[in-house]
């Protein structure tokens, strides 16, 4: 690898749920890349990333990095063989709620890197749920041989201890997206000027009967009929969230009888542009975890709807709790809460600032630890 301008260079493969046009996961990747660049600069280290992606061309175009197909064995082998280390994460990679192949795939990538003699780093992962005990040995084996482990909540750390990872240190750190900055090109996405408060809304499909979206539509309609607001749907995972947003939108429109308005925002795939869109809201209501993280990042008062423990775990870290769940959302309570936040934005920001500032600072720790390990253990 050699030296470049007196800066030591390391090639790092990054494995995660990338290249699927999910704004939250793309934000994780962007945040990891920015943290590695920033911490590398401080340590006089240059990190050359190789991202395993579902859409290599998209990933290369979006981030300007080398990318390999995540499901192509020869490409995976080539990437790991040429690298100095592997990052696995962040995001919710080690869980079996989305399918039985998820954990075997991600632990398989980790084990292959270890078999090739490459140090592996678990980067701010959220683990679970793991419903099949048959997955425990896969997780335990991959973790026990990793050089550094960090998870994004205490529940993930407990799960690792329960599957047998008992001797290795485990850092509990924030989601990497807490450290993501706004884009340099702040004019790339610009909202239409509004003469009323803007409520950002991030929804997703969850229940097969759509009851959660019906309840959200009822809650938003009550709010819009009691106070003039502008609802801005923010689809974090296209095209699915666009369809979910349209479903709620279409339920509201026939019954809207005041001056409130609504739109489905068309934000480009770059996660920093979505962060910019969130920053232009007065309050954000979200089902997606990263919609809530974006809002916290930008000190936008937020309300979370729980569909997964990771929502409750994040809200707890900023001293909040969910307004409801996919099983139950009270329209009166929702409306009251939104109006309280609109009228008390400054107080919310003051109350939450200590939590948020700490999370932003701690979000850099995995990158710091990785670069320190590389400098101390890989000779040039």
């Amino acid at each position: 690898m050699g030296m470049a301008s007196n800066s030591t260079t390391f090639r790092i493969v990054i494995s995660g749920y990338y290249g699927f046009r999910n704004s939250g996961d793309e934000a994780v990747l962007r945040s990891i890349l920015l943290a590695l660049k920033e911490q590398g600069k401080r340590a006089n280290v240059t990190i050359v990333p190789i991202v395993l992606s579902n859409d290599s061309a998209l990933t290369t175009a979006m981030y300007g990095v080398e990318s390999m197909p995540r499901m192509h064995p020869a490409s995976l082998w080539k990437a790991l063989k040429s690298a100095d280390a592997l990052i696995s994460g962040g995001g919710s990679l080690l869980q079996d709620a989305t399918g039985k192949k998820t954990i075997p795939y991600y632990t398989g990538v980790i084990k292959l890197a270890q078999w090739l003699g490459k140090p592996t780093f678990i980067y701010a992962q959220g683990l679970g749920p793991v419903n099949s005990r048959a997955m425990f040995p896969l997780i335990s084996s991959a973790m026990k041989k990793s050089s550094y482990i960090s998870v994004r909540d205490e529940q993930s750390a407990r799960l690792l201890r329960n599957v047998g990872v008992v001797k290795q240190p485990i850092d509990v750190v924030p989601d990497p997206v807490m450290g993501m900055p706004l884009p340099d090109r702040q004019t790339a996405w610009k909202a239409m000027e509004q003469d009323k408060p803007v409520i950002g809304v991030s929804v997703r499909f969850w229940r097969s009967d759509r009851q959660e979206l019906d309840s959200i539509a009822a809650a938003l309609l009550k709010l819009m009929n009691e106070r003039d607001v502008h609802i801005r749907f923010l689809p974090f995972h296209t095209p699915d969230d666009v369809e979910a947003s349209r479903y709620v939108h279409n339920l509201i429109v026939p019954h809207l009888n005041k001056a409130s308005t609504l739109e489905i925002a068309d934000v480009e795939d770059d996660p920093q542009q979505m962060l910019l869109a969130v920053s232009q809201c007065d309050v954000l209501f979200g089902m997606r975890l990263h919609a809530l993280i974006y809002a916290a990042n930008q000190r936008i008062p937020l309300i979370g709807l729980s569909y997964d423990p990771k929502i409750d775990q994040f809200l707890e870290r900023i001293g909040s709790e969910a307004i409801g769940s996919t099983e139950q959302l009270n329209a009166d309570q929702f409306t009251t809460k939104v109006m309280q936040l609109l009228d008390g934005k400054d107080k919310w920001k003051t109350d939450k600032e200590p939590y948020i500032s700490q999370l932003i600072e701690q979000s850099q720790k995995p990158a710091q630890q990785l670069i320190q390990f590389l400098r101390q253990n890989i000779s040039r």
Side-chain angles (χ1 to χ4, degrees):
M1 311 305 161
M3 305 289 287
S5 302
N6 296 320
S7 175
T8 305
T9 300
F10 298 103
R11 289 172 58 84
I12 310 294
V13 172
I14 304 178
S15 168
Y17 191 74
Y18 307 131
F20 289 91
R21 299 181 183 273
N22 183 320
S23 182
D25 289 289
E26 295 304 323
V28 167
L29 176 57
R30 173 74 80 184
S31 301
I32 291 174
L33 293 172
L34 289 171
L36 292 174
K37 183 176 180 180
E38 174 63 25
Q39 299 304 321
K41 179 190 278 188
R42 295 183 182 185
N44 200 28
V45 166
T46 299
I47 300 296
V48 178
I50 308 102
V51 178
L52 303 180
S53 174
N54 183 61
D55 188 335
S56 298
L58 173 68
T59 297
T60 295
M62 188 177 295
Y63 307 108
V65 298
E66 186 178 347
S67 182
M68 295 282 193
R70 71 198 297 272
M71 299 302 290
H72 189 266
S75 297
L76 179 58
W77 176 273
K78 179 181 177 182
L80 290 172
K81 188 72 174 173
S82 70
D84 294 295
L86 167 77
I87 287 174
S88 179
S92 303
L93 305 184
L94 300 184
Q95 48 78 28
D96 56 9
T98 58
K100 297 180 179 179
K101 297 180 181 179
T102 303
I103 292 173
Y105 170 76
Y106 289 112
T107 57
V109 173
I110 296 170
K111 293 301 293 183
L112 177 57
Q114 293 169 351
W115 186 79
L116 289 169
K118 312 297 182 178
T120 56
F121 301 88
I122 311 305
Y123 199 117
Q125 284 205 29
L127 283 81
V130 182
N131 298 303
S132 172
R133 295 186 65 88
M135 300 297 174
F136 288 8
L138 299 180
I139 298 172
S140 179
S141 176
M143 294 291 166
K144 285 180 178 179
K145 293 186 178 180
S146 287
S147 300
Y148 173 74
I149 302 172
S150 61
V151 296
R152 69 184 182 197
D153 50 63
E154 291 288 352
Q155 291 82 352
S156 296
R158 285 200 295 271
L159 176 56
L160 284 184
R161 299 303 188 202
N162 290 339
V163 303
V165 185
V166 294
K167 295 182 179 179
Q168 291 74 13
I170 299 173
D171 277 344
V172 178
V173 299
D175 188 287
V177 179
M178 283 302 304
M180 186 172 71
L182 287 168
D184 293 333
R185 299 178 298 116
Q186 291 201 21
T187 57
W189 187 87
K190 186 169 179 61
M192 294 178 58
E193 293 292 332
Q194 297 294 330
D195 59 357
K196 54 183 76 74
V198 175
I199 312 300
V201 175
S202 165
V203 294
R204 59 170 298 165
F205 290 120
W206 188 250
R207 293 173 57 111
S208 59
D209 62 4
R210 305 291 181 250
Q211 178 184 317
E212 79 285 15
L213 297 183
D214 295 343
S215 297
I216 290 170
L220 290 173
L221 181 61
K222 181 172 180 59
L223 170 68
M224 297 172 79
N225 284 333
E226 292 200 13
R227 180 174 290 197
D228 292 346
V229 296
H230 178 75
I231 301 296
R232 178 173 294 141
F233 290 98
L234 299 168
F236 270 68
H237 189 180
T238 57
D240 293 355
D241 289 7
V242 175
E243 293 304 314
S245 298
R246 188 172 293 123
Y247 179 92
V248 177
H249 176 284
N250 291 344
L251 287 176
I252 293 172
V253 169
H255 306 287
L256 194 58
N257 57 24
K258 285 198 70 175
S260 292
T261 53
L262 66 173
E263 67 169 318
I264 300 175
D266 183 12
V267 183
E268 65 181 74
D269 290 327
D270 188 324
Q272 286 179 286
Q273 297 302 318
M274 182 62 86
L275 182 67
L276 178 59
V278 169
S279 76
Q280 295 175 3
C281 297
D282 294 287
V283 171
L284 183 129
F285 168 69
M287 285 180 72
R288 291 280 184 189
L289 171 64
H290 282 100
L292 302 175
I293 292 174
Y294 280 32
N297 174 305
Q298 290 299 302
R299 281 74 169 180
I300 302 299
L302 57 91
I303 303 172
L305 185 78
S306 178
Y307 72 92
D308 184 284
K310 65 186 179 183
I311 300 293
D312 304 281
Q313 292 157 11
F314 173 72
L315 292 172
E316 182 181 347
R317 296 190 77 174
I318 62 167
S320 297
E321 60 183 20
I323 190 71
S325 71
T326 51
E327 303 300 317
Q328 188 273 333
L329 175 63
N330 183 284
D332 291 329
Q333 292 178 356
F334 173 83
T335 299
T336 298
K337 183 64 174 179
V338 174
M339 291 196 290
Q340 286 175 348
L341 292 177
L342 288 174
D343 295 335
K345 284 168 44 176
D346 291 341
K347 182 179 186 307
W348 187 92
K349 293 178 183 180
T350 299
D351 290 345
K352 303 305 180 188
E353 182 60 34
Y355 300 101
I356 293 171
S357 295
Q358 184 178 44
L359 292 179
I360 290 173
E361 180 180 352
Q362 292 173 345
S363 68
Q364 297 292 308
K365 186 174 183 180
Q368 295 167 352
Q369 295 293 107
L370 182 148
I371 288 169
Q372 181 181 351
F373 178 94
L374 294 176
R375 290 205 61 135
Q376 293 177 352
N377 293 278
I378 299 181
S379 60
R380 284 288 181 263

